[in-house]
C-alpha cells in the first residue's frame, strides 16, 4: 500500500504531537547504576530527574531524549513514555492504545515488535496485550492511509520496539528510542575472553570520580574496555556519537536538531586526554584486540596499550587511579586461582602503589577485604548471571 497522506500534514502532526509537548522519559539502567545515571542526566541539564528501581525518569522535549541517547554512559536504553493509564477493563487498553499519534513515531511499513510484561495486572495475558497494541498501531496507520507495520520478533535489532507494562491497576506504553543496547558504542566488535560491559566500565570510573585529570592504569586490560571508556571520558567524547539509534527512523526525526547536538558535543570535546592512560595485559592477543578497539573508538592516540605482567612491570609515575577487572574463576580459570590472584594483587598494591586510588570489579564481595583498600564507595550490579561489586578505595600501606 502506498502512503497518500500529504507530506505537509504529517509534518504538521509531527510538530504538534511530537515536538510541541513535554514528554516523560525513562533511562533504563542495570539495577544499582541508577544514582550514577541520575547524576549524568543532571549534568546534561535535563529536568525532573528522578532515580527509581531499574532506571531514571526525566522530562523534556524530544531533544532531551536525543541528548540522553548521545551522552549517557551508564544507561541501557531510553524509553519515551507514550501512555500511562488506569486499567479497569480490557477496553481501557484498546482506547488508550488507539489514542496514541502513532504516525509521528512508527515509520510506515516498518518492522515493529511489541513486548508486554504483566504483574498482578487485570489485563491477564501478555501475548494478547502485545497483539492488541500491535493491532491498534496497524489500524491507526491504515486509517491515515499509511502502510501498517510488519510484526517483528523482540530480538530483531532493526525493529521499532514498544513495551507495555501492566502492574496492579496501571499500565504503561513506552517506545524504545535507542534500538540496540546503549552499551554497544560501536567500537567493540570482537570482545576478548571475558570483556566487561561498557556501561559497567563507565560506572566504575564514575564511582571513582574519574575525570581524566590524573594518570590511569588498567594492568589487566583484556580487550581494553576500562581504558577506552576512560579515554572517552577524559576527552569528553559522547559515547553515542558513532552509532545509530531507533529514533532516527521515526517520521518526527529532526536531522538538523540531531546534527546540531552532535556537533555541539564534538566542539565540547578535548583533542587529547589531559593525563596518561595505560592499558597492560600479559597476553599479546588481548593487547592487539585492545588496540583495535581503541582505534575504532577514535582514542588510539590517548591510550598506551602494551604487553606486561603486572607483577613484573615497573609502576608508572603516579599517583593516579588504578582500575582492575581481575579474572573470575567461573569464566577464566578456577575460583581458587581467582582468589589467590586477588591476594597477590592486594600485596602488590600495598608494596608498589601506595597513594594511588583503586577501582575494582569483584565477583565475590568478601574479597574486598583481601585487597586491603580503604573503602570510599561501592555498589553492586548484575552482570553475566552474577552480581558484581564495583568498589572504590585508596591503597594504603
Ligand atoms: C577479566 S579479564 C579483563 C577484561 C577486560 N576488562 C575487558 O573488558 O576485556 C582479565 C585479564 O587479566 C589478564 N591478566 C591476568 N593476570 C595478569 C597479570 N599477572 N599481568 C597482566 N595481565 C594479567 C588476563 O590476560 C585477562 O586478559
Amino acid at each position: 500500500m502506498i502512503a497518500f497522506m500529504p507530506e505537509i500534514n504529517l509534518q504538521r502532526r509531527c510538530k504538534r504531537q511530537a515536538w510541541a509537548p513535554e514528554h516523560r522519559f525513562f533511562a533504563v539502567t542495570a539495577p544499582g547504576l541508577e544514582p550514577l545515571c541520575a547524576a549524568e542526566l543532571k549534568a546534561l541539564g535535563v529536568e525532573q530527574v528522578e532515580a527509581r528501581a531499574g532506571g531514571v525518569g526525566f522530562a523534556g522535549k524530544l531533544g532531551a531524549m536525543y541528548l540522553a541517547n548521545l551522552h549517557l554512559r551508564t544507561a541501557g536504553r531510553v524509553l519515551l513514555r507514550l501512555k500511562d493509564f488506569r486499567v479497569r477493563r480490557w477496553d481501557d487498553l484498546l482506547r488508550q492504545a488507539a489514542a496514541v499519534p502513532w504516525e509521528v513515531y512508527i515509520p510506515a511499513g516498518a518492522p515493529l515488535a511489541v513486548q508486554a510484561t504483566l504483574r498482578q495486572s487485570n489485563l491477564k495475558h501478555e501475548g494478547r496485550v502485545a497483539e492488541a497494541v500491535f493491532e491498534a498501531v496497524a489500524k491507526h496507520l491504515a486509517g491515515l492511509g499509511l502502510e501498517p507495520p510488519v510484526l517483528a520478533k523482540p530480538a530483531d535489532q532493526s525493529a521499532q520496539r514498544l513495551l507495555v507494562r501492566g502492574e496492579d491497576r496501571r499500565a504503561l506504553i513506552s517506545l524504545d528510542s535507542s534500538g540496540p543496547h546503549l552499551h554497544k558504542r560501536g567500537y567493540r566488535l570482537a570482545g576478548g575472553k571475558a570483556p566487561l560491559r561498557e556501561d559497567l566500565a563507565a560506572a566504575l570510573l564514575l564511582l571513582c570520580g574519574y575525570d581524566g585529570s590524573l594518570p590511569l592504569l588498567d594492568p589487566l586490560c583484556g580487550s581494553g574496555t576500562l581504558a577506552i571508556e576512560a579515554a572517552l571520558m577524559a576527552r569528553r567524547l559522547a559515547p553515542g556519537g558513532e552509532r545509530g539509534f531507533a529514533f532516527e527512523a521515526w517520521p518526527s526525526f529532526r536531522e538538523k536538531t540531531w546534527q546540531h547536538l552532535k556537533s555541539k558535543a564534538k566542539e565540547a570535546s578535548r583533542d587529547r586526554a589531559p593525563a596518561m592512560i595505560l592499558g597492560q595485559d600479559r597476553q599479546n592477543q588481548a593487547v592487539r584486540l585492545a588496540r583495535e578497539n581503541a582505534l575504532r573508538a577514535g582514542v588510539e592516540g590517548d591510550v598506551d596499550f602494551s604487553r606486561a605482567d603486572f607483577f613484573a612491570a615497573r609502576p608508572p609515575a603516579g599517583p593516579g587511579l588504578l582500575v582492575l577487572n581481575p579474572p573470575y574463576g567461573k569464566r577464566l580459570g578456577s575460583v581458587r586461582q581467582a582468589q589467590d590472584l586477588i591476594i597477590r594483587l592486594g600485596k602488590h598494591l600495598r608494596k608498589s602503589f601506595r597513594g594511588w586510588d583503586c577501582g575494582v570489579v569483584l565477583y565475590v564481595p568478601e574479597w574486598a577485604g583481601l585487597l586491603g583498600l580503604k573503602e570510599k564507595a561501592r555498589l553492586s550490579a548484575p552482570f553475566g548471571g552474577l552480581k558484581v561489586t564495583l568498589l572504590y578505595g585508596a591503597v594504603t600501606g
Side-chain angles (χ1 to χ4, degrees), residues 169-220:
R169 287 175 179 268
R170 292 207 76 79
L172 201 53
I173 303 177
S174 309
L175 177 60
D176 174 15
S177 71
S178 305
H181 195 288
L182 291 180
H183 83 80
K184 295 189 173 159
R185 324 276 203 226
Y187 64 74
R188 208 168 67 187
L189 301 183
K193 279 193 183 145
L196 189 61
R197 223 176 45 214
E198 294 84 337
D199 55 333
L200 285 178
L204 179 65
L205 293 162
L206 290 171
L207 185 76
C208 297
Y210 178 72
D211 64 2
S213 59
L214 291 177
L216 179 131
L217 167 65
D218 178 358
L220 316 171

Side-chain angles (χ1 to χ4, degrees), residues 28-362:
V28 181
T29 67
L33 304 194
E34 300 93 340
L36 295 174
C37 183
E40 284 194 276
L41 281 162
K42 282 182 187 155
L44 288 176
V46 304
E47 286 164 17
Q48 296 176 46
V49 175
E50 196 190 325
R52 282 182 242 140
V56 186
F58 63 102
K61 299 275 169 92
L62 276 193
M65 182 198 80
Y66 287 14
L67 207 60
N69 273 298
L70 181 61
H71 287 280
L72 289 181
R73 299 178 197 277
T74 58
R77 57 187 71 255
V78 180
L79 305 179
L80 165 65
R81 299 293 198 209
L82 291 172
K83 283 280 170 194
D84 182 354
F85 54 99
R86 209 174 131 80
V87 190
R88 270 161 301 200
R89 293 182 294 274
W90 178 253
D91 273 5
D92 294 326
L93 174 71
L94 302 185
R95 198 164 29 80
Q96 295 286 346
V100 176
W102 296 111
E103 72 279 14
V104 304
Y105 299 117
I106 307 295
L112 172 67
V114 187
Q115 261 179 306
T117 321
L118 304 177
R119 252 179 52 193
Q120 292 170 341
S121 165
N122 44 5
L123 289 172
K124 298 283 186 276
H125 193 281
E126 291 177 348
R128 269 189 69 206
V129 169
E131 223 173 271
V133 172
F134 181 87
E135 285 307 317
V137 181
K139 202 169 150 195
H140 184 95
L141 293 192
L144 293 170
L146 293 166
E147 197 176 341
V150 178
L151 186 62
K153 296 232 159 67
D156 180 347
Q157 296 286 306
S158 68
Q160 294 291 328
R161 234 157 54 91
L162 278 170
L163 306 170
V164 188
R165 216 183 72 209
E167 197 165 342
D168 301 321
R169 287 175 179 268
R170 292 207 76 79
L172 201 53
I173 303 177
S174 309
L175 177 60
D176 174 15
S177 71
S178 305
H181 195 288
L182 291 180
H183 83 80
K184 295 189 173 159
R185 324 276 203 226
Y187 64 74
R188 208 168 67 187
L189 301 183
K193 279 193 183 145
L196 189 61
R197 223 176 45 214
E198 294 84 337
D199 55 333
L200 285 178
L204 179 65
L205 293 162
L206 290 171
L207 185 76
C208 297
Y210 178 72
D211 64 2
S213 59
L214 291 177
L216 179 131
L217 167 65
D218 178 358
L220 316 171
C221 73
S223 62
T225 319
L226 279 160
I228 292 170
E229 287 296 316
L232 291 172
M233 279 184 197
R235 286 194 48 200
R236 300 182 178 150
L237 288 169
E242 304 298 326
R243 54 160 275 168
F245 297 92
F247 67 75
E248 289 175 75
W250 297 358
S252 53
F253 175 58
R254 281 192 178 165
E255 178 75 38
K256 254 175 110 171
T257 307
W258 180 228
Q259 290 309 333
H260 173 69
L261 291 175
K262 289 218 294 191
S263 53
K264 254 179 67 183
K266 269 216 175 92
E267 276 162 30
S269 68
R270 290 168 167 153
D271 291 338
R272 301 249 1 169
M276 135 192 122
I277 302 174
L278 299 177
Q280 296 168 347
D281 201 287
R282 65 180 177 190
Q283 290 185 4
N284 262 332
Q285 156 83 350
V287 174
R288 192 178 51 74
L289 206 59
R291 285 194 185 129
E292 286 170 11
N293 286 336
L295 188 66
R296 272 189 292 270
V299 294
E300 72 280 10
D302 303 289
V303 192
D304 184 358
F305 285 112
S306 60
R307 185 170 164 232
D309 186 310
F310 183 40
F311 301 106
R314 239 195 31 213
L321 178 66
L322 194 72
V323 281
L324 301 170
N325 173 208
Y328 176 57
K330 292 221 166 117
R331 295 174 92 182
L332 298 172
S334 74
V335 176
R336 180 75 221 193
Q337 278 171 334
Q339 184 173 353
D340 288 347
L341 179 64
I342 299 282
I343 295 169
R344 257 189 101 192
L345 285 170
K347 282 187 188 148
H348 190 56
L349 296 188
R350 287 191 293 279
K351 186 169 147 241
S352 306
F353 287 87
R354 200 174 305 162
W356 284 62
D357 275 346
C358 180
V360 56
V361 183
L362 285 174

